[in-house]
Amino acid sequence: LKEENALLRSKINKLQILSETQADKMRKLEKKLQENKIKEEKEAQDLEAMVQHVEQNLQLMTKRAAKAENSAAKLRQENAQLQAELKNSRLEMEALRAGQAGLAAAKQNAEVALQHLLQVTTSSRASIRQLLSGAESLQLIADLLKSIDRISEV
């Protein structure tokens, strides 16, 4: 009976040691779980901050694109007006060539109008290129936001 008692005490001691070991492991795992939760929360906050930053950039790019579109529309309108002026200048020049006085003045006016038209055309092209560049940037940001949404869903 003493031997059996000693054997049972030995088993109880071993089980207590095993229980304490498992309790330590459980505490460590709980601590690690808590650390992972904190890490995930921080990552989620960082991701949210990045999304907000991208959204702000997208809004700014949208505003810039709208301004560029308005500018391009104004330049197109000015270009049309200048083309009409150029046409009128050419008609004047032709009339002056037909016999009216002041051929040199009309020719100079036509040259000035032509130079102005060429400058506006060049400027319009640059603005249109800028508008296209802005549109490409907006597309890139939209694709980035889609990717972020996919990441956040995962």
Side-chain angles (χ1 to χ4, degrees):
L1 188 64
K2 285 183 181 181
E3 286 179 26
E4 189 177 328
N5 227 2
L7 184 63
L8 287 174
R9 283 185 187 163
S10 172
K11 285 184 179 181
I12 287 173
N13 284 338
K14 288 179 184 178
L15 286 174
Q16 283 177 342
I17 292 170
L18 180 63
S19 174
E20 288 174 9
T21 304
Q22 288 178 346
D24 284 343
K25 282 183 183 179
M26 193 163 127
R27 281 190 291 275
K28 288 178 184 177
L29 287 174
E30 286 174 348
K31 184 179 177 183
K32 192 171 184 177
L33 177 65
Q34 189 64 27
E35 289 172 357
N36 283 344
K37 282 182 181 179
I38 292 170
K39 184 178 176 183
E40 283 182 17
E41 287 174 7
K42 185 183 182 310
E43 288 175 356
Q45 289 172 354
D46 291 346
L47 185 60
E48 181 65 28
M50 185 176 73
V51 167
Q52 288 177 356
H53 182 67
V54 169
E55 286 175 351
Q56 289 172 353
N57 285 343
L58 181 61
Q59 289 173 351
L60 289 175
M61 293 296 285
T62 302
K63 287 179 183 177
R64 287 174 55 191
K67 285 181 183 178
E69 286 176 10
N70 289 338
S71 177
K74 287 178 184 176
L75 289 172
R76 283 188 204 106
Q77 186 178 19
E78 187 177 341
N79 192 6
Q81 288 174 342
L82 290 172
Q83 285 179 353
E85 285 180 24
L86 179 62
K87 184 178 179 181
N88 289 338
S89 295
R90 286 182 178 162
L91 290 174
E92 267 183 47
M93 196 165 82
E94 288 176 15
L96 288 173
R97 281 185 183 159
Q100 292 183 356
L103 177 62
K107 186 175 180 182
Q108 186 177 2
N109 286 343
E111 288 290 328
V112 169
L114 179 59
Q115 291 301 321
H116 191 55
L117 176 63
L118 291 173
Q119 289 174 351
V120 170
T121 301
T122 302
S123 175
S124 296
R125 286 182 181 152
S127 294
I128 289 170
R129 283 189 201 111
Q130 186 181 14
L131 176 62
L132 290 174
S133 175
E136 290 174 358
S137 296
L138 286 174
Q139 182 63 44
L140 179 63
I141 291 171
D143 291 341
L144 179 62
L145 284 175
K146 285 180 185 177
S147 296
I148 290 172
D149 284 342
R150 288 184 195 137
I151 291 170
S152 65
E153 287 176 8
V154 170

